[in-house]
Amino acid sequence: MMKSNPPSTLLSAFQGLRISSTAATPLRASLASTICRPTLQRAAVVAAAAPSHVRLFSATAVQAGSWLEPNIDRKKKMMKGRPRVPTGGSSKGTTVIWGDYGLRMHDHHRRISAKQLQVAENAIKTRLRGQKYRLFKRVACNVGVYISGNEVRMGKGKGSFDHWATRVAINQVVFEIRGALHEQVIKDAFRLAGHKLPGQWELVKRGEPPVVGITKLVNGLTLEDLKRPRKALPAPVVPSESELPTSATTPSSTAPPS
């Protein structure tokens, strides 16, 4: 039985659509030279123009995690630690920097979980729904909490990952807000957020003095004054030569009894 050959016109049409790698049309060559990998051509030009001692880098931002869940390996165990207590004269994180108002904790340092911070943020956004504002977060949950469960004997390891948390020091600002809002509205929103968080919280404004531990730097008080001793010790008094007691003794006129 003989095979039926395709029509010659159809075969010639398919052969005309074939792309030849050896012979290219002038239009195809010009398009290939203009749109073929412009980024690689630009990178090659920059690399050729840069000196040999200059290290090239990429301007692309590194993809990182959020403030509630960092980009950290959960399998790598970390120690619990304690919140930072600025006993050496540090007032970092106690003032409002980016916003107009802030929410600051003023009772005791503690560890706050990411879920509690998320609930507080949702409370603020629910109260300020429809308003024009911007919310700033001053803390990041970069501490992993590991729990080994109930009724587990000692010596079986640290436990598995449970949640992320952050260490908040005393008088540290957690949230800041800025926008076309009334002070009472912001105060009410921060009040609702403080009810969702452990501890006692207060509203602070931009320009208020910083706090060192539990001491506010007001009424002319500075860090140098806190580092000085509480009571100045008196200088030691050195007696003069005339005030020194004489060690010579006068002989007695009466003789001792025999």
Side-chain angles (χ1 to χ4, degrees):
M1 184 175 180
M2 298 180 61
K3 296 182 179 179
S4 59
N5 295 328
S8 59
T9 56
L10 184 62
L11 183 59
S12 61
F14 278 111
Q15 290 179 356
L17 295 175
R18 186 179 304 171
I19 299 175
S20 177
S21 59
T22 57
T25 61
L27 178 61
R28 186 176 301 166
S30 62
L31 290 177
S33 62
T34 54
I35 65 175
C36 180
R37 299 181 183 273
T39 57
L40 295 181
Q41 294 177 0
R42 192 182 303 110
V45 171
V46 173
S52 59
H53 64 277
V54 175
R55 181 180 179 183
L56 300 178
F57 65 94
S58 175
T60 306
V62 180
Q63 184 179 4
S66 63
W67 70 291
L68 294 176
E69 186 172 357
N71 193 9
I72 303 177
D73 187 12
R74 295 185 176 185
K75 297 182 180 179
K76 185 178 181 181
K77 307 296 178 66
M78 58 184 65
M79 303 187 70
K80 182 192 305 181
R82 285 181 171 84
R84 174 183 57 86
V85 180
T87 57
S90 175
S91 60
K92 183 179 179 180
T94 60
T95 56
V96 179
I97 299 178
W98 300 307
D100 298 329
Y101 299 90
L103 183 65
R104 184 170 64 185
M105 182 178 59
H106 67 94
D107 63 332
H108 195 271
H109 60 274
R110 56 176 50 83
R111 190 176 62 185
I112 302 178
S113 64
K115 189 173 184 60
Q116 292 173 337
L117 291 173
Q118 185 178 12
V119 171
E121 181 189 12
N122 294 338
I124 295 176
K125 291 182 177 180
T126 303
R127 177 62 181 84
L128 302 179
R129 182 178 299 172
Q131 306 290 335
K132 294 183 179 180
Y133 67 95
R134 185 174 180 181
L135 186 66
F136 301 92
K137 296 89 171 180
R138 294 286 301 274
V139 295
C141 298
N142 55 357
V143 180
V145 180
Y146 298 81
I147 296 178
S148 59
N150 299 329
E151 299 183 1
V152 177
R153 295 188 177 183
M154 298 179 62
K156 300 299 181 181
K158 186 176 180 63
S160 59
F161 176 83
D162 188 73
H163 62 274
W164 292 105
T166 180
R167 303 187 187 103
V168 180
I170 183 173
N171 285 313
Q172 183 177 357
V173 178
V174 177
F175 292 107
E176 291 186 14
I177 195 170
R178 182 182 62 189
L181 301 172
H182 196 271
E183 181 180 354
Q184 294 298 330
V185 177
I186 299 176
K187 187 176 182 179
D188 187 46
F190 280 159
R191 178 186 61 83
L192 297 175
H195 291 168
K196 307 297 182 181
L197 297 173
Q200 299 179 5
W201 303 82
E202 63 178 353
L203 177 71
V204 292
K205 304 178 183 179
R206 175 188 286 269
E208 290 194 6
V211 185
V212 178
I214 59 175
T215 305
K216 294 185 178 181
L217 301 182
V218 294
N219 300 328
L221 186 64
T222 60
L223 289 175
E224 289 73 14
D225 297 337
L226 293 178
K227 295 179 181 179
R228 295 172 184 172
R230 294 181 179 271
K231 185 178 180 180
L233 298 178
V237 179
V238 179
S240 59
E241 296 181 356
S242 60
E243 297 178 355
L244 290 177
T246 56
S247 58
T249 57
T250 55
S252 177
S253 57
T254 58
S258 55

